Each structure stands twice: as structure tokens, then as C-alpha cells.
């Protein structure tokens, strides 16, 4: 039908940006995807170039529309999902970032996190925000930029600088940037900043002050499904009508709409989420409490989450850093050359350990090595590391929820 309308989804991920066009029946009719550079300035630091990501998003949108054989006028709406804690600080007057985006895997804020905890420790704010103090989350990343980029603090205090996760950066640019760009985020991404009160869904000014972050930098918090603004440029005239952090989007896409339903995503890291309903459950077993989604004016739905920093990226490390495989999909065959791991075990704490330990000071170890261990055993230990970490998170989730997980929906 010539008048059929479509929906575009932008997925801005850790390693690539992707756009997909869906028809009214939910079928994918067009795709565009492009990887961006992973920047490692020093040990423990991980960055992305926000300008490169913005350029790539525009490119993949055009590629997806071309693949679908439609023009922008056939789009009813666009939704955005994104890597969550990766943080950008930029000028509202020039549109230029003051520093590369600091990625969720980055550990440079360890000293800031320790100082914030003080005598109270890493759970100082947990009863308000659902999160432990950890290098994973946004707030300390913003503080680091303000403390370490020349002139940034003064510019932030004057109201020039703003911050956001990747959804905020993209929407600001899509809606005009310096010419009236909309500065918003949704509750799922805001819940990853360490700055949002989980119950009120508003910024906690006391925590922002503790992190020396001017509240003028923070985007407006909105629901996950409403019209935030109208795009210009590559998506001219299309309403931007949905935002979900990537793992919440996977939970929603897996139709985990009932309390107790859970999913696990296998990607750069692993992220297991369980829908806990309209009341937040605060973990006693090393999980985090997060907003799962909020549809318009409806009540928010919460989730328990077990976040694992390194799973698929361990396979990439074996390929890129060690040269033991030439393509990621080779690892299965190499691991299949042995019957077991030969006593070798991998703890891939490249970004510290996330759930359920939250140890920013942890580092990766490969143990149990003997002359018997070969390439196949190490490949198998890499794959088993994902399974062992997943099991730990699953056990913690059952302990916190009091519910046995009888079905786990998976994607990746």
C-alpha cells in the first residue's frame, strides 16, 4: 500500500549504531548498521567519540530507509534505545562535546567513587537510587570531566554545559542541536545516572551537590513513551516518540510484562532483568534496582538487574588482543576440541566486577594453568566464564525476589 506507514528504531550500542525500519505488522523491512571506534587512552579507560556516533546514526538512518525503499515521509515515528551509562558533556551554545564520551565500562572514577562512599561505603545512596556507588554509573563520570577538563567546571556553573546519556545526545541533535534542541531523557536512562530518586522519578539535588554537578546540566526526565519533539535534518518532521535504555528495551521486547518474568541479554556484557512490578525491590544480594519502563502517564514498572561487565567482549579480547582466533565465531569450534576446561578458569574483571560483587578494584585473572592447558582449554574457559557469571546473578535474583526463575527469556 502506497500510504502504509512505518516506524524507525535507532539502537545506539556500545560497539555500533543500527537503524531498523518496521512495518505495521512488526516485520523488519530495512536495516543499516555501522561500528564506531573503541578508544582506550590508558588501562581501564574506555571512550567513544560523540561526533562520530552522531554522524554514524545519521548514516545508518539513511541506509535503513534506502534498504526499505521508502522516504522519510512514510515514517510515523522514531524510537531510540541506547547503551545506558555512557556519558557525554557538551556545550549548549556550540554543540561541541568538551571530552570524549566516557563509556560504561570505564573505571577511571574509582577514586571519586571511594571518596563519595566515605565511611558509609558503596551503599550510601542505595535506598534512594537503587544503585551502589560504582564506576559503572554516570554521575561520577560527569564529576571527573568537570574536575579534569580545563574550564569545564566554570562553564558548567555558568549554565553553558549540559550532560546526557546517548539517548539525550542523539535527541538533542535530532531536534535541532544549538537551534532549539530538546534536552530530555527517559526514566530508564535517568535511573542509571546515580542522580535520580527511584520513587519520585526526579533528580536528587543533594546527591548532585555531593558530586558537584550543577542541576542545570541535567536533562528533563520524561516517560518512556510519549512525543518528546519533532526531528529535523535526516528525519525531518518525524515525531520522536520512545526512549528506553537498551536492556530495558530488551526486557520490553521479550514481553516481560508480568511480575517475576525475566530475560538475559548476551552482548558486550550480560544483563539479566526481572520485572518486579510497580514497587521497587531493593537487593540484599548484590543486584541493582532500576526502572524497567514507564508508558506515558501510567505508573512506573521496576526491575531487579544483574549487570555483568565482560562476556562477549572477552571473546573480542581473545581475538583482538591475544590473536588466538581470527573471528569471534571461531571460538565455539576451538573450545570444542577439548572435553573440559583442563582446570583453567577465567575471571574477566577487565572493568572491575559488577553484580553481585561491585568491586571496582578487581582485575582479570586466568587460573589453574598447567603444561596440559592448551588453546582449546582457554577458549572453553572464556565461554564458561559467561555461564558462571550468569549463574551467580540468577541465584542472587531468586534470593532477592523469593521467586524461582522457571523461564528465562534470552537474546543477544
Amino acid at each position: 500500500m502506497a500510504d502504509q506507514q512505518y516506524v524507525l528504531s535507532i539502537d545506539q550500542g556500545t560497539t555500533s549504531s543500527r537503524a531498523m525500519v518496521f512495518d505495521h505488522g512488526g516485520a523488519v523491512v530495512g536495516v543499516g548498521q555501522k561500528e564506531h571506534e573503541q578508544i582506550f587512552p590508558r588501562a581501564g579507560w574506555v571512550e567513544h567519540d560523540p561526533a562520530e556516533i552522531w554522524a554514524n546514526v545519521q548514516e545508518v538512518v539513511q541506509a535503513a530507509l534506502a534498504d526499505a525503499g521508502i522516504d522519510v515521509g512514510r515514517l510515523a515515528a522514531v524510537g531510540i534505545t541506547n547503551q545506558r551509562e555512557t556519558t557525554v558533556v557538551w556545550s549548549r551554545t556550540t554543540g561541541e562535546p568538551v571530552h570524549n564520551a566516557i563509556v560504561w565500562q570505564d573505571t577511571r572514577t574509582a577514586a571519586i567513587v571511594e571518596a563519595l562512599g566515605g565511611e558509609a561505603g558503596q551503599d550510601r545512596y542505595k535506598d534512594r537510587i537503587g544503585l551502589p556507588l560504582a564506576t559503572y554509573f554516570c554521575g561520577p563520570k560527569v564529576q571527573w570531566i568537570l574536575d579534569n577538563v580545563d574550564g569545564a567546571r566554570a562553564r558548567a556553573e555558568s549554565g553553558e554545559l549540559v550532560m546526557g546519556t546517548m539517548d539525550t545526545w542523539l535527541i538533542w541533535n535530532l531536534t535541532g542541536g544549538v537551534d532549539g534542541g530538546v534536552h530530555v531523557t527517559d526514566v530508564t536512562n535517568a535511573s542509571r545516572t546515580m542522580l535520580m530518586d527511584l520513587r519520585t522519578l526526579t533528580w536528587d539535588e543533594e546527591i548532585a551537590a555531593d558530586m558537584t554537578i550543577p542541576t542545570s546540566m541535567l536533562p528533563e526526565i520524561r516517560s518512556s513513551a510519549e512525543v518528546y519533539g519533532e526531528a529535523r535534518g535526516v528525519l525531518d518532521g518525524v515525531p520522536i516518540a520512545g526512549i528506553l535504555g537498551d536492556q530495558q528495551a530488551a526486557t520490553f521486547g521479550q514481553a516481560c510484562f508480568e511480575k517475576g518474568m525475566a530475560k538475559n541479554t548476551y552482548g558486550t556484557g550480560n544483563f539479566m532483568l526481572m520485572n518486579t512490578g510497580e514497587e521497587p525491590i531493593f537487593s540484599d544480594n548484590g543486584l541493582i534496582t532500576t526502572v524497567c519502563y514507564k508508558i506515558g502517564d501510567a505508573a512506573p514498572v521496576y526491575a531487579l538487574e544483574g549487570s555483568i561487565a565482560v562476556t562477549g567482549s572477552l571473546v573480542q579480547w581473545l581475538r583482538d588482543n591475544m590473536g588466538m582466533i581470527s573471528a569471534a565465531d571461531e571460538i565455539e569450534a576451538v573450545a570444542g576440541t577439548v572435553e573440559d576446561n583442563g582446570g583453567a578458569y577465567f575471571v574477566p574483571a577487565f572493568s572491575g566486577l559488577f553484580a553481585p560483587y561491585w568491586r571496582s578494584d578487581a582485575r582479570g585473572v586466568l587460573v589453574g594453568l598447567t603444561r596440559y592447558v592448551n588453546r582449546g582449554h582457554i577458549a572453553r574457559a572464556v565461554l564458561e566464564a559467561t555461564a558462571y557469571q550468569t549463574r551467580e546473578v540468577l541465584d542472587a535474583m531468586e534470593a532477592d525476589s523469593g521467586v524461582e526463575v522457571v523461564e528465562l527469556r534470552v537474546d543477544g
Side-chain angles (χ1 to χ4, degrees), residues 40 42 135 175 227-228 237 266 297 366:
F40 305 104
R42 63 178 73 174
T135 59
T175 55
V227 175
Y228 312 101
Y266 296 80
D297 293 331
L366 177 59

Coordinates of all heavy atoms in Angstrom, one line a residue, residues 40 42 135 175 227-228 237 266 297 366:
F40 N 40.9 3.5 23.8 CA 41.4 3.1 25.1 C 42.7 3.9 25.4 O 43.8 3.5 25.1 CB 41.8 1.6 25.0 CG 40.7 0.7 24.6 CD1 40.6 0.2 23.3 CD2 39.7 0.3 25.5 CE1 39.6 -0.7 22.9 CE2 38.7 -0.5 25.1 CZ 38.6 -1.0 23.8
R42 N 44.2 4.7 28.1 CA 45.1 4.1 29.1 C 44.4 2.9 29.7 O 43.2 2.7 29.5 CB 45.6 5.1 30.1 CG 44.6 5.7 31.0 CD 45.2 6.6 32.0 NE 45.6 7.9 31.4 CZ 46.1 8.9 32.1 NH1 46.1 8.8 33.5 NH2 46.4 10.0 31.6
T135 N 31.9 2.7 39.5 CA 32.4 3.4 38.3 C 31.5 3.2 37.1 O 31.6 4.0 36.1 CB 33.8 2.9 37.9 OG1 33.8 1.4 37.6 CG2 34.8 3.1 39.1
T175 N 16.8 17.1 17.2 CA 15.7 18.1 17.2 C 16.3 19.5 17.0 O 15.6 20.5 17.3 CB 15.0 18.0 18.6 OG1 15.9 18.1 19.7 CG2 14.2 16.7 18.7
V227 N 5.7 11.8 22.9 CA 6.3 12.5 21.9 C 7.2 13.6 22.6 O 6.7 14.5 23.3 CB 5.3 13.2 20.9 CG1 6.1 14.1 19.9 CG2 4.6 12.1 20.2
Y228 N 8.5 13.5 22.4 CA 9.5 14.4 23.0 C 9.7 15.6 22.1 O 10.2 16.7 22.7 CB 10.8 13.7 23.3 CG 10.6 12.4 24.0 CD1 10.7 11.2 23.2 CD2 10.3 12.3 25.3 CE1 10.5 9.9 23.8 CE2 10.1 11.0 25.9 CZ 10.2 9.9 25.1 OH 10.0 8.6 25.7
G237 N 10.7 16.2 10.4 CA 9.2 16.2 10.6 C 8.7 14.9 11.3 O 7.5 14.8 11.6
Y266 N 22.8 -11.5 26.1 CA 24.2 -11.8 25.9 C 24.8 -10.9 24.9 O 24.5 -11.0 23.7 CB 24.3 -13.3 25.5 CG 23.8 -14.3 26.5 CD1 22.5 -14.5 26.6 CD2 24.7 -14.9 27.3 CE1 22.0 -15.5 27.5 CE2 24.3 -15.8 28.3 CZ 22.9 -16.1 28.4 OH 22.5 -17.0 29.3
D297 N 1.5 8.3 31.1 CA 1.1 8.7 32.4 C 0.9 7.5 33.4 O 0.6 7.7 34.5 CB -0.2 9.5 32.4 CG 0.0 10.8 31.7 OD1 1.2 11.4 31.7 OD2 -0.9 11.3 31.1
L366 N 43.3 -15.4 35.0 CA 43.2 -16.8 34.4 C 44.0 -17.7 35.3 O 45.2 -17.6 35.5 CB 43.8 -16.8 33.0 CG 43.8 -18.1 32.2 CD1 42.4 -18.7 32.1 CD2 44.5 -17.9 30.8

